[in-house]
Amino acid sequence: MARVAIVTGGTRGIGEAISLALQEAGMTVAANFAGNEERARAFTDRTGIAAYQWDVADYDACQTGVQQVAEQLGPVDVLVNNAGITRDGTILKLTYQAWKEVIDTNLGGCFNMAKAVFPGMRDRKWGRIVNIGSINGQAGQYGQVNYAAAKSGIHGFTKALAQEGARAGVTVNAIAPGYIDTDMVAAVPADVLEKIVAKIPVGRLGQANEIARGVAFLCSEDGGFVTGSTLSINGGQHMY
Ligand SMILES: NC(=O)c1ccc[n+]([C@@H]2O[C@H](COP(=O)([O-])OP(=O)(O)OC[C@H]3O[C@@H](n4cnc5c(N)ncnc54)[C@H](OP(=O)(O)O)[C@@H]3O)[C@@H](O)[C@H]2O)c1
């Protein structure tokens, strides 16, 4: 039977590419999203992949969402924690609200979703969890104390949960993307983006499917000996 995968934030950007890569690998995919129903509907029409709306920052909504996916598609074998947001600003301007939203979504979402799927994976002795971190969680970034802290936290979360899953056949890994051509990066002012690209050794932004291929490997049978690792896919920008 096909393995069932949930990709949070799986209807656009990097998440869309991940949903498609896992579908191509033969999995039954559920793509979660937060609120952009129009993009989610277009995604499902195009790909045939079911989209499910819930907020990963909401603990109870994650429990209910995972239960609904399991009832409709089967027990969840693969979780990709991809949903993420930015609320940038230097600490002088950053509000508590902007701090909390980013921590609750990017890092809290990983905990909420892992809590919902991990017990079943452990009982069935097979599971794959991939958390999408960021180069800015490894290197820090001006104006992103909230985002860098959340992403850095994801890398620690990954290594700790990997130790809990290891004996039960559940691998837990992270991918740290560099700058990838998605809506999130399109929101960066053009002059700032030009300076960013100038610092990427390969001389371009990454493509979403270049992250998705890494995720597909980590979620495959062949990835069974890889756990607690962080795969940097960043065009050589930060060698960590
Ligand atoms: N793009 C980059 O250069 C880059 C670099 C490093 C790391 N990353 C990380 O990669 C991941 C994907 O980034 P992206 O550029 O593809 O982002 P994006 O284009 O902005 O898409 C974000 C996705 O996450 C969903 N989402 C946001 N908040 C959510 C919530 N509370 N609950 C459920 N879903 C939520 C969105 O749903 P809606 O469509 O409903 O809004 C959307 O599907 C993020 O974790 C990001 O931090 C991106």
Side-chain angles (χ1 to χ4, degrees):
M1 228 174 67
R3 297 212 181 270
V4 174
I6 294 182
V7 182
T8 68
T11 56
R12 63 188 173 94
I14 293 171
E16 172 172 6
I18 294 169
S19 296
L20 286 167
L22 296 184
Q23 184 190 50
E24 215 175 282
M27 296 182 190
T28 303
V29 179
N32 149 270
F33 69 103
N36 193 332
E37 287 179 34
E38 199 182 320
R39 288 289 289 268
R41 237 190 326 270
F43 164 83
T44 298
D45 289 348
R46 207 169 45 246
T47 63
I49 295 173
Y52 294 82
Q53 184 175 3
W54 74 80
D55 177 2
V56 297
D58 180 334
Y59 181 88
D60 293 334
C62 291
Q63 293 283 332
T64 310
V66 168
Q67 202 180 330
Q68 193 188 357
V69 170
E71 278 164 17
Q72 292 176 359
L73 307 180
V76 179
D77 303 305
V78 173
L79 167 65
V80 183
N81 279 316
N82 165 78
I85 56 168
T86 50
R87 300 281 183 268
D88 296 351
T90 59
I91 197 152
L92 295 179
K93 292 186 189 143
L94 201 67
T95 60
Y96 176 71
Q97 175 84 357
W99 163 263
K100 191 164 160 45
E101 274 175 27
V102 167
I103 297 289
D104 288 355
T105 303
N106 297 20
L107 182 57
C110 291
F111 171 77
N112 296 341
M113 288 300 299
K115 274 291 276 185
V117 302
F118 190 83
M121 290 177 175
R122 195 200 46 190
D123 291 350
R124 293 188 300 280
K125 299 259 176 284
W126 199 95
R128 299 280 186 265
I129 298 177
V130 178
N131 304 311
I132 305 298
S134 171
I135 187 174
N136 293 349
Q138 297 170 308
Q141 181 60 272
Y142 185 92
Q144 284 198 323
V145 293
N146 51 359
Y147 186 80
K151 292 301 192 182
S152 183
I154 283 179
H155 298 306
F157 175 87
T158 298
K159 289 180 207 171
L161 189 58
Q163 294 180 34
E164 295 183 26
R167 296 269 164 177
V170 182
T171 68
V172 187
N173 292 287
I175 289 192
Y179 286 84
I180 310 299
D181 193 6
T182 68
D183 295 346
M184 185 179 271
V185 164
V188 176
D191 56 323
V192 177
L193 196 56
E194 205 175 303
K195 285 184 195 143
I196 289 171
V197 173
K199 286 190 190 146
I200 302 174
V202 303
R204 63 171 176 85
L205 294 174
Q207 295 302 311
N209 62 19
E210 293 177 300
I211 304 301
R213 286 189 205 112
V215 174
F217 168 69
L218 292 172
C219 294
S220 69
E221 297 295 336
D222 287 345
F225 199 57
V226 186
T227 196
S229 76
T230 296
L231 176 59
S232 296
I233 305 181
N234 61 28
Q237 193 180 351
H238 181 65
M239 302 191 188
Y240 189 75

